[in-house]
Amino acid sequence: MKDENVEQLDQLRETLQKAKSVVALTGAGVSAESGVPTFREAQTGLWARYQPEKLATSDAFLEDPPLVWEWYAWRRELVSSAEPNPAHRALVALENYYPNFALITQNVDGLHAEAGSRNIIELHGNISRVKCFNAHHPVENWDALEGSPPHCPLCGSLLRPDVVWFGEMLPEQALISALGAMQDCEVYFSIGTSALVHPAAALTVEAIKDLDVTVVEINPAETPITPYVDFALNGSAGQILPELVDLLVL
Ligand code: OAD
């Protein structure tokens, strides 16, 4: 463990041990060690290779539905062969340890659920689900349907992935649940996220500015929130989170 982290974890220990209510916001960095690419990292991020405005907006979908559908099919495939990593598993251990624990995630890969996390708030949807483009109602058993994309069996509109695209609102219930979980939490983690995408990043800003909560960031890189958090643990989530769990259970 890096010396700076040892010192910080030592200072954090008592707060972590005493807390009853904890919230963690996760981003793509948590799945990086499962082989799922992040978005904004210079060489490896998806947005270094693909243009979000051509793939992750409703205009892009309307302009070229097969292109967008196939891109998400490729990502769905990639995610389906990925396994949860030690970071996902450590978050399950934290949920088992704390009486109140909420996991707010921007990830659409479902790996938190696969690892065994239960109280998951998905802010950006889930890539394994699809919904109808016009009416937004969920559609089950769609993988046997013909077409790229297939048409909704109920209303005939095109099907699209059930993820949040740029310019779209977050699912209202998810946002309400996230804000609710944050209200009485004592420790708030921001893990593996560049903290650049709003409104998800605004949750962390609220935790820093408006709530009486200890804010801990886990990231190998600096982000816009790093100067303002109480503890900035520098390194990978797959390494630091298990160390943090050891602090609690050993
Ligand atoms: P980003 O790609 O913006 O940021 C990933 C962050 O993870 C960076 O800050 C990395 O330094 C960090 N990171 C990389 N490897 C890590 C590791 N092993 N452990 C911990 N951290 C690591 O991804 P997000 O912040 O999740 O939105 O992006 C937010 C949203 O932007 C995504 O949900 C997606 C994207 O456009 C939608 O698709 C709606």
Side-chain angles (χ1 to χ4, degrees):
M1 202 192 302
K2 294 179 187 164
D3 285 352
E4 66 199 82
N5 287 347
V6 175
E7 223 169 89
Q8 291 195 84
L9 279 176
D10 223 35
Q11 289 168 25
L12 245 179
R13 184 194 306 260
E14 207 179 312
T15 309
L16 288 176
Q17 285 174 339
K18 280 194 180 149
K20 299 267 177 286
S21 190
V22 169
V23 164
L25 171 73
T26 63
V30 167
S31 294
E33 288 157 88
S34 296
V36 180
T38 59
F39 294 93
R40 291 177 183 74
E41 287 179 280
Q43 304 300 323
T44 53
L46 288 174
W47 299 150
R49 288 184 284 153
Y50 302 97
Q51 290 173 276
E53 62 278 13
K54 297 237 163 83
L55 295 162
T57 67
S58 56
D59 283 350
F61 183 72
L62 285 176
E63 191 161 317
D64 194 344
L67 175 78
V68 173
W69 179 262
E70 289 304 326
W71 190 68
Y72 278 92
W74 166 70
R75 283 183 54 203
R76 198 178 291 121
E77 194 63 34
L78 209 135
V79 158
S80 72
S81 57
E83 302 278 347
N85 68 54
H88 296 106
R89 289 193 284 276
L91 286 160
V92 179
L94 290 183
E95 183 166 13
N96 291 337
Y97 182 86
Y98 289 111
N100 294 309
F101 184 83
L103 181 54
I104 308 170
T105 189
Q106 298 164 87
N107 298 345
V108 298
D109 55 34
L111 288 175
H112 285 306
E114 202 176 319
S117 286
R118 298 173 302 278
N119 190 15
I120 306 169
I121 301 167
E122 290 180 327
L123 288 182
H124 291 167
N126 189 304
I127 201 166
S128 70
R129 293 193 304 259
V130 307
K131 62 183 180 181
C132 134
F133 184 79
N134 284 347
H136 286 242
H137 53 72
V139 177
E140 310 278 339
N141 304 323
W142 52 274
D143 43 353
L145 299 173
E146 297 275 323
S148 177
H151 289 265
C152 172
L154 292 177
C155 69
S157 117
L158 292 175
L159 296 186
R160 55 160 284 182
D162 188 1
V163 298
V164 174
W165 282 332
F166 288 100
E168 294 183 329
M169 311 272 278
L170 299 194
E172 195 184 357
Q173 193 48 53
L175 200 51
I176 291 170
S177 303
L179 288 166
M182 287 169 60
Q183 289 320 305
D184 60 358
C185 82
E186 297 143 274
V187 181
Y188 175 98
F189 288 98
S190 173
I191 310 170
T193 173
S194 58
L196 288 168
V197 176
H198 285 261
L203 296 177
T204 307
V205 174
E206 168 151 347
I208 292 169
K209 283 175 62 180
D210 300 330
L211 301 178
D212 181 19
V213 55
T214 301
V215 180
V216 183
E217 182 179 50
I218 301 177
N219 200 310
E222 272 228 15
T223 75
I225 61 158
T226 308
Y228 307 102
V229 299
D230 299 298
F231 295 92
L233 302 175
N234 178 268
S236 83
Q239 192 197 333
I240 293 177
L241 277 169
E243 286 169 358
L244 202 138
V245 170
D246 284 349
L247 271 189
L248 295 170
V249 294
L250 291 183

